[in-house]
Amino acid sequence: MPRFAANLTMMFTEHEFLDRFAAAKKAGFDAVEYLFPYDQPPEAIAERLRAQGLTQALFNLPPGNWEAGDRGLAALPDRAEEFRASIDTALRYAEATGVGRVHVMSGLASRQDVTALTAYRDSLRRVCDAAGAQGLDVVIEPINTRDMPGYFLDDFSFAADLIAELGLPNLKLQFDIYHRQILHGDVLMGLREMAPIIGHVQIAAVPDRHEPGTGELDDARILRELDALGYEGFVGCEYRPAGRTEDGLDWMRAFA
């Protein structure tokens, strides 16, 4: 049975952020993830995790200035110093929350730009070295350019090839089913081919990014495939509820 993690950036937004931990636990989740924790002190988040008995599954490194349009720093050669500082920030939060993996966003750049590609490789080596010293995995996620135009990492095969090329033991693939379907389709075959390098999975219905089971894919079959493949990691519920979060959780209860 999949281990579901509520994405608190998208789910339970009826509540203030720190109150979403209790709401997730009450709804039946044992783990949580979110995009960025940096608006809250790490100690405050750690206290909510402890109080609710929740596991922190994942969060992202600081992305730069999100409000100004930044979507990560790793492939931006002129932001290398800022990227290095973002690693230190993320690792402080990782230590406080006990998270086992962090996601590195590449940023907006062209893969045809050699300087961006070099910066990205260098950034991944740097963050994997620092995170590895803390026993953490690093995950990279291809994101579709319909939702995020200009995103550097927009191809699953490229991501898999890069992981193989770099040979970093704690560098893994974040396989988001929603992004995979939009980018390439062939979700089940992609899972089968890439299972050995997958470090985290996320799910949302395609195309509207609502609850699993409400879109064009047979999400229940995909989740069963994860079980058949022996995947033991978390499945992050990175979807936007169509209504009140708690009212749309029947899909998850079917796996209880």
Side-chain angles (χ1 to χ4, degrees), residues 1 107 117 121 134 152 162 178 243:
M1 173 181 159
L117 184 57
R121 288 190 178 105
Q134 241 174 260
F152 177 86
L162 184 61
Y178 169 81

Side-chain angles (χ1 to χ4, degrees), residues 95-107:
E95 183 176 11
T97 61
V99 73
R101 64 207 53 78
V102 291
H103 170 221
V104 177
M105 297 188 73
S106 64

Side-chain angles (χ1 to χ4, degrees), residues 46-127:
E47 190 280 327
R48 299 297 172 117
L49 291 167
R50 285 194 299 270
Q52 301 301 326
L54 290 166
T55 298
Q56 182 70 56
L58 177 80
F59 59 77
N60 299 346
L61 264 67
N65 188 336
W66 188 269
E67 290 72 22
D70 285 340
R71 293 299 182 265
L73 304 169
L76 308 183
D78 59 336
R79 308 283 291 275
E81 184 175 346
E82 188 177 350
F83 179 75
R84 288 193 291 271
S86 80
I87 297 172
D88 294 337
T89 299
L91 292 184
R92 288 200 303 275
Y93 279 79
E95 183 176 11
T97 61
V99 73
R101 64 207 53 78
V102 291
H103 170 221
V104 177
M105 297 188 73
S106 64
L108 306 181
S110 170
R111 286 210 319 277
Q112 312 314 313
D113 182 344
V114 174
T115 62
L117 184 57
T118 299
Y120 190 55
R121 288 190 178 105
D122 290 345
S123 294
L124 292 180
R125 291 187 184 100
R126 183 179 296 274
V127 68

Side-chain angles (χ1 to χ4, degrees), residues 176-216:
D176 187 303
I177 291 160
Y178 169 81
H179 292 305
R180 170 72 192 202
Q181 173 67 2
I182 294 171
L183 285 169
H184 309 298
D186 211 15
V187 172
L188 291 178
M189 188 57 69
L191 285 170
R192 291 166 187 168
E193 290 177 349
M194 298 180 181
I197 61 169
I198 293 175
H200 190 66
V201 173
Q202 291 177 325
I203 193 167
V206 182
D208 295 323
R209 209 167 189 175
H210 293 324
E211 285 84 350
T214 63
E216 66 193 31

